[in-house]
Amino acid sequence: MKKVDTQKAPAAIGAYSQAIEIDGWIFTSGQIPLLADGTLSGESIEIQTHQVLRNVHEVLREAGADLCDVIKTTLFIQDMSQFATINQIYSEYFGHHAPARSCVEVSRLPKDVLIEMEVIAKVKK
């Protein structure tokens, strides 16, 4: 088991890792829309969704994977009425590669952000 850590995404804000890689499988912790320096990327769902996906991408890159290696995503969003906007931006990053996905509306997220995303990926050997 290997801890994945990159300075190109925000550091963990608790007792957890950005991701763990084991036997080629990568399990990311929930990524929220913080810049690498820990500041909030912006207030809109558009800005926050782009930042979450960039953070996921950077964590995966550090583990030797890419978005095309993602098998499953889980989205936690504060307002389901923003789903169409989130989905459009999500599609820009995943294109025709459509990993399995769950999406749930939650009442509150860390630092009161609008979106959080975790993924499971498999490194190609």
Side-chain angles (χ1 to χ4, degrees):
M1 184 167 63
K2 177 184 159 195
K3 179 179 175 180
V4 177
D5 186 32
T6 180
Q7 293 184 2
K8 294 182 180 178
I13 56 176
Y16 58 90
S17 303
Q18 290 172 324
I20 294 291
E21 185 269 328
I22 185 165
D23 296 330
W25 289 94
I26 302 161
F27 300 86
T28 73
S29 293
Q31 297 297 309
I32 61 176
L34 299 180
L35 301 171
D37 68 4
T39 58
L40 184 63
S41 62
E43 306 237 349
S44 74
I45 192 61
E46 294 86 359
I47 291 170
Q48 290 194 15
T49 301
H50 280 288
Q51 188 62 49
V52 163
L53 285 154
R54 284 191 292 268
N55 290 345
V56 166
H57 186 235
E58 290 299 339
V59 171
L60 290 172
R61 287 176 77 185
E62 184 66 24
D66 208 326
L67 292 173
C68 64
D69 299 314
V70 172
I71 295 165
K72 170 81 167 74
T73 68
T74 304
L75 296 170
F76 305 93
I77 62 176
Q78 195 178 61
D79 183 357
M80 195 59 79
S81 70
Q82 296 175 327
F83 180 78
T85 300
I86 294 165
N87 198 48
Q88 184 271 324
I89 295 166
Y90 179 99
S91 296
E92 291 175 24
Y93 288 79
F94 285 105
H96 293 292
H97 172 67
R101 179 176 73 185
S102 299
C103 180
V104 291
E105 181 180 70
V106 296
S107 63
R108 193 165 181 205
L109 290 165
K111 299 199 175 261
D112 293 317
V113 299
L114 304 175
I115 184 170
E116 181 173 356
M117 180 181 186
E118 61 185 31
V119 307
I120 299 170
K122 179 74 165 124
V123 178
K124 294 175 186 155
K125 299 271 178 174

